[in-house]
Amino acid sequence: MNEIEILKRKATEIRMELLTMIYEAGTGHTGGSLSSTDILTVLYYHIMNVDPKNPKWEDRDRYVQSKGHSVEAYWAILADKGFFPKEELKTFSQFNTRLIGHPNNKVPGVEMNTGSLGHGLPIGVGMALAAKMDGKSYRVYTLMGDGEQAEGSVWEGAMAASHYKLDNLVAIIDRNRLQITGSTEDVMSLEPFADKWRAFGWEVVEVDGNDIEQLVEVMEGAPKAAGKPTLIVANTVKAKGISFAENVAKWHHHVPSKEEYQLAMEELSKQLEVLQ
């Protein structure tokens, strides 16, 4: 099994884990977690330089999940990497848990509390600027949602990143085209999306955000230009991996019924079998 196949298998396992978390907790953001799973898998298992045994290591790469509501894949990956025990995933969204419905920096591996949309990119800009000022070589990665692009602070951060020539900053947008109230283009149209970011001084590349091989190629090549921050527009499918949920708006925060959960797990199990 080559590395791409290993990453595909890992992404499927993470989907199964996060779906179980949501089903057992009776709450969660299913669609966005599933759409961003491949992105996070490539980041954490192939790209980023982090150490679960030393999560505050000064030279670690930084990751900020701006679309904090889609936290389930993030929790599953941090546990699988060894930042905290896997058994703790069973406490997701339970009373007194650390694993709440948004990233919580009391959990090892989480840099910042996030979830109030529009804040992740400006935080990432600050981290990347600090690295430049301190002469550090670490990189900063920030994942945003496409519905989040209606927030003005995103564009303030975009201007600052370009102004300070932060080529150690890579922003990724989970472009699944659906937000809580429907289509992004109906709620607040974004197109021409890539051109807007280019106008703000970013190097922009578009990719199939559910294609592991494409993600590896693009992320290995980031930053794409010296002196410019990089934006990866990751075109994804909401609720990727579950055929009856894909591109269905209600799955933004729909909790699967017992029957839906069983059907979804059967589908994902078959995907694993193909990857044997």
Side-chain angles (χ1 to χ4, degrees):
M1 185 178 291
N2 62 34
E3 187 170 8
I4 297 298
E5 291 170 334
I6 291 170
L7 290 170
K8 287 179 180 179
R9 183 175 179 84
K10 180 60 68 177
T12 305
E13 291 171 348
I14 295 300
R15 284 188 167 93
M16 295 176 80
E17 188 73 73
L18 76 86
L19 197 65
T20 299
M21 289 166 57
I22 291 170
Y23 174 69
E24 292 183 348
T27 187
H29 286 82
T30 312
S33 280
L34 289 167
S35 66
S36 60
T37 295
D38 299 304
I39 298 166
L40 286 175
T41 298
V42 172
L43 277 175
Y44 271 92
Y45 295 93
H46 185 74
I47 296 295
M48 290 202 308
N49 192 13
V50 294
D51 182 2
K53 295 180 180 178
N54 185 14
K56 295 296 185 182
W57 175 40
E58 192 173 289
D59 293 321
R60 70 190 180 281
D61 287 334
R62 272 69 167 171
Y63 172 73
V64 178
Q65 182 151 318
S66 192
K67 53 172 295 181
H69 55 283
S70 297
V71 74
E72 294 84 4
Y74 191 22
W75 289 146
I77 286 173
L78 289 178
D80 187 65
K81 291 285 291 183
F83 283 94
F84 58 87
K86 275 192 174 184
E87 294 74 27
E88 193 171 347
L89 293 176
K90 296 183 181 298
T91 73
F92 171 63
S93 283
Q94 303 300 311
F95 183 65
N96 276 340
T97 185
R98 296 189 298 177
L99 306 184
I100 58 177
H102 292 83
N104 165 24
N105 65 4
K106 293 180 181 178
V107 179
V110 177
E111 301 289 345
M112 293 293 300
N113 298 337
T114 55
S116 183
L117 296 177
H119 292 182
L121 182 63
I123 291 167
V125 168
M127 290 177 172
L129 182 57
K132 291 283 189 182
M133 295 173 72
D134 292 341
K136 296 289 186 180
S137 60
Y138 65 78
R139 291 179 182 169
V140 180
Y141 297 87
T142 303
L143 177 66
M144 294 180 281
D146 49 5
E148 182 176 2
Q149 305 306 297
E151 301 288 349
S153 51
V154 169
W155 301 98
E156 294 177 45
M159 280 194 294
S162 174
H163 175 78
Y164 290 109
K165 304 184 188 305
L166 300 180
D167 53 11
N168 56 345
L169 174 63
V170 179
I172 307 159
I173 296 178
D174 181 11
R175 183 75 168 110
N176 60 38
R177 291 175 169 75
L178 286 172
Q179 58 190 96
I180 192 168
T181 47
S183 162
T184 55
E185 302 314 294
D186 291 337
V187 177
M188 185 68 72
S189 57
L190 299 177
E191 297 298 340
F193 192 43
D195 289 342
K196 290 175 182 176
W197 281 88
R198 291 188 181 102
F200 273 69
W202 287 60
E203 191 70 17
V204 180
V205 59
E206 296 195 59
V207 64
D208 181 341
N210 295 129
D211 186 310
I212 294 286
E213 194 164 5
Q214 285 189 37
L215 286 167
V216 166
E217 181 179 354
V218 166
M219 290 185 188
E220 280 183 348
K224 290 294 181 182
K228 296 177 73 174
T230 295
L231 177 79
I232 299 172
V233 180
N235 293 297
T236 62
V237 174
K238 194 94 167 188
K240 177 67 175 178
I242 303 174
S243 61
F244 56 86
E246 290 183 353
N247 285 323
V248 178
K250 76 169 186 177
W251 279 83
H252 179 87
H253 54 46
H254 177 68
V255 176
S257 66
K258 182 178 180 179
E259 182 182 7
E260 288 170 334
Y261 172 70
Q262 290 173 342
L263 287 171
M265 294 298 278
E266 286 174 11
E267 278 197 27
L268 293 168
S269 294
K270 288 177 182 177
Q271 291 172 33
L272 274 185
E273 289 174 7
V274 172
L275 295 167
Q276 292 284 9

PDB file of all heavy atoms in Angstrom, residues 22 25 53 63 215 252:
ATOM      1  N   ILE A  22     -20.669  11.912  16.651  1.00  0.00           N
ATOM      2  CA  ILE A  22     -21.874  12.729  16.486  1.00  0.00           C
ATOM      3  C   ILE A  22     -23.120  11.923  16.831  1.00  0.00           C
ATOM      4  O   ILE A  22     -24.012  12.410  17.536  1.00  0.00           O
ATOM      5  CB  ILE A  22     -21.947  13.279  15.047  1.00  0.00           C
ATOM      6  CG1 ILE A  22     -20.838  14.310  14.819  1.00  0.00           C
ATOM      7  CG2 ILE A  22     -23.318  13.894  14.756  1.00  0.00           C
ATOM      8  CD1 ILE A  22     -20.655  14.735  13.372  1.00  0.00           C
ATOM      9  N   ALA A  25     -23.247  11.315  20.636  1.00  0.00           N
ATOM     10  CA  ALA A  25     -23.467  12.548  21.397  1.00  0.00           C
ATOM     11  C   ALA A  25     -24.834  13.150  21.118  1.00  0.00           C
ATOM     12  O   ALA A  25     -25.360  13.918  21.927  1.00  0.00           O
ATOM     13  CB  ALA A  25     -22.374  13.567  21.074  1.00  0.00           C
ATOM     14  N   LYS A  53       3.904  14.392  21.560  1.00  0.00           N
ATOM     15  CA  LYS A  53       4.533  14.256  22.877  1.00  0.00           C
ATOM     16  C   LYS A  53       5.017  15.597  23.419  1.00  0.00           C
ATOM     17  O   LYS A  53       5.301  15.725  24.616  1.00  0.00           O
ATOM     18  CB  LYS A  53       5.708  13.276  22.796  1.00  0.00           C
ATOM     19  CG  LYS A  53       5.279  11.850  22.460  1.00  0.00           C
ATOM     20  CD  LYS A  53       6.474  10.929  22.384  1.00  0.00           C
ATOM     21  CE  LYS A  53       6.033   9.505  22.039  1.00  0.00           C
ATOM     22  NZ  LYS A  53       7.194   8.587  21.904  1.00  0.00           N
ATOM     23  N   TYR A  63      -1.641  25.193  13.403  1.00  0.00           N
ATOM     24  CA  TYR A  63      -2.907  25.007  12.687  1.00  0.00           C
ATOM     25  C   TYR A  63      -4.017  25.696  13.456  1.00  0.00           C
ATOM     26  O   TYR A  63      -4.171  25.489  14.663  1.00  0.00           O
ATOM     27  CB  TYR A  63      -3.239  23.524  12.524  1.00  0.00           C
ATOM     28  CG  TYR A  63      -4.631  23.284  11.973  1.00  0.00           C
ATOM     29  CD1 TYR A  63      -4.921  23.539  10.631  1.00  0.00           C
ATOM     30  CD2 TYR A  63      -5.659  22.828  12.793  1.00  0.00           C
ATOM     31  CE1 TYR A  63      -6.205  23.339  10.127  1.00  0.00           C
ATOM     32  CE2 TYR A  63      -6.943  22.625  12.295  1.00  0.00           C
ATOM     33  CZ  TYR A  63      -7.210  22.885  10.963  1.00  0.00           C
ATOM     34  OH  TYR A  63      -8.474  22.705  10.474  1.00  0.00           O
ATOM     35  N   LEU A 215      -4.481  16.994  -3.118  1.00  0.00           N
ATOM     36  CA  LEU A 215      -4.165  17.759  -1.907  1.00  0.00           C
ATOM     37  C   LEU A 215      -2.694  17.617  -1.532  1.00  0.00           C
ATOM     38  O   LEU A 215      -2.035  18.599  -1.164  1.00  0.00           O
ATOM     39  CB  LEU A 215      -5.045  17.292  -0.750  1.00  0.00           C
ATOM     40  CG  LEU A 215      -6.511  17.731  -0.792  1.00  0.00           C
ATOM     41  CD1 LEU A 215      -7.327  16.953   0.232  1.00  0.00           C
ATOM     42  CD2 LEU A 215      -6.636  19.231  -0.531  1.00  0.00           C
ATOM     43  N   HIS A 252     -25.774  19.886   7.319  1.00  0.00           N
ATOM     44  CA  HIS A 252     -24.850  20.830   7.961  1.00  0.00           C
ATOM     45  C   HIS A 252     -24.710  20.487   9.444  1.00  0.00           C
ATOM     46  O   HIS A 252     -23.598  20.416   9.984  1.00  0.00           O
ATOM     47  CB  HIS A 252     -25.352  22.266   7.792  1.00  0.00           C
ATOM     48  CG  HIS A 252     -24.478  23.293   8.434  1.00  0.00           C
ATOM     49  ND1 HIS A 252     -23.395  23.850   7.784  1.00  0.00           N
ATOM     50  CD2 HIS A 252     -24.506  23.865   9.668  1.00  0.00           C
ATOM     51  CE1 HIS A 252     -22.802  24.717   8.598  1.00  0.00           C
ATOM     52  NE2 HIS A 252     -23.463  24.744   9.745  1.00  0.00           N
TER      53      HIS A 252
END
